[in-house]
Amino acid sequence: MLKLAITGKGGVGKTTLSALLAHVFAERGQKVLAIDADPATGLAAACGVPPEVAAAITPVAEMEDLIYERTGARKGEIGGFFKLNPRVDDIPERFAVSPPGIAGQNGIRILSMGSVSGAGTGCLCPENSLLRSLVTHLLLRRDEVLIMDMEAGVEHLGRGTASAVDAFIVVVEPGRRSIQTAHTIHALAADLGIQRVYAVGNKVASEADEDFIRAQLPGFHILGFLPGDERAIEADRSGRAVYDLAPELVTRVRAIADQLEGR
């Protein structure tokens, strides 16, 4: 089963793409676990989880009682003794939520993971221990499509887990800051030995926008382009799944999923 990490500069549409991919793979009869690893925690709502349910979700990184139960230390404690490999196998089943069931869409579950603190600094604290063990479990020991909606980086991945990622997808928009972030992420991914780093252009309004992205990302395989779509904004405002309101985006993401599956 595919393991996908979706990243890019803030606001480029990572969560929209993650939610659409989750629905597309689910409509193909696959079990999908969508991981919200972005502090903005908008993936559940984008997948169609009712707003009041989505707002009440607590990320795993903030579950103080769970962190203490599994590691033997309190959240935020640095140093001292705690378990470096805590049990995590039951966390998806206990804490993932699903959007309301509709035909062909019952295979999506969303787990809010939260942020890794002090990424890249060697921070040793119990919540990091729990999250890193959880990422290892999700990538190496579960047989389902995994979609990780990440921050603009590779903070949740280490050398032991990066090799299990089938595709690292950087979402970009036709702007130089977005492009620069994409190059930075590409370099970070290369440092971890991630071989398949792709790009998806979002909020594209013209062929000129597509040409700009292609010209600025010569080292990327570009999976496709998504137009700016007011219906995606309306989905956010109304608390509905973008999959239900933006059919053109769904069609284009199906084509992206075809490439990822080698069709």
Side-chain angles (χ1 to χ4, degrees), residues 7-62:
T7 188
K9 185 179 77 69
V12 294
K14 301 184 298 292
T15 298
T16 296
L17 178 61
S18 298
L20 287 169
L21 282 169
H23 279 280
V24 166
F25 286 120
E27 76 181 8
R28 296 179 178 184
Q30 307 221 38
K31 290 175 59 179
V32 178
L33 182 60
I35 303 298
D36 195 341
D38 190 318
T41 62
L43 184 57
C47 286
V49 173
E52 64 276 9
V53 177
I57 294 173
T58 300
V60 172
E62 298 176 15

Side-chain angles (χ1 to χ4, degrees), residues 17-189:
L17 178 61
S18 298
L20 287 169
L21 282 169
H23 279 280
V24 166
F25 286 120
E27 76 181 8
R28 296 179 178 184
Q30 307 221 38
K31 290 175 59 179
V32 178
L33 182 60
I35 303 298
D36 195 341
D38 190 318
T41 62
L43 184 57
C47 286
V49 173
E52 64 276 9
V53 177
I57 294 173
T58 300
V60 172
E62 298 176 15
M63 295 181 179
E64 297 190 9
D65 290 343
L66 179 69
I67 291 167
Y68 180 72
E69 172 194 327
R70 298 305 168 88
T71 69
R74 293 292 180 188
K75 180 180 183 296
E77 291 182 1
I78 299 176
F81 296 97
F82 55 85
K83 294 180 181 178
L84 295 177
N85 296 293
R87 181 191 173 195
V88 294
D89 60 298
D90 62 330
I91 287 177
E93 281 68 34
R94 285 183 61 187
F95 299 109
V97 299
S98 296
I102 56 177
Q105 298 302 319
N106 294 321
I108 300 174
R109 291 180 302 150
I110 305 104
L111 179 66
S112 181
M113 191 160 63
S115 295
V116 174
S117 302
T121 64
C123 174
L124 289 177
C125 51
E127 61 268 33
N128 279 12
S129 177
L130 186 67
L131 289 186
R132 294 191 186 282
S133 293
L134 180 56
V135 170
T136 299
H137 173 74
L138 294 172
L139 285 170
L140 301 180
R141 300 187 180 92
R142 292 186 69 91
D143 186 22
E144 61 203 329
V145 173
L146 180 70
I147 298 171
M148 295 181 65
D149 179 12
M150 301 179 67
E151 296 182 71
V154 295
E155 285 81 0
H156 287 81
L157 300 176
R159 295 190 182 277
T161 55
S163 62
V165 176
D166 293 299
F168 209 79
I169 303 173
V170 187
V171 183
V172 299
E173 59 188 8
R176 293 197 178 275
R177 286 184 298 170
S178 172
I179 295 295
Q180 182 57 52
T181 299
H183 285 294
T184 300
I185 293 169
H186 193 285
L188 290 171

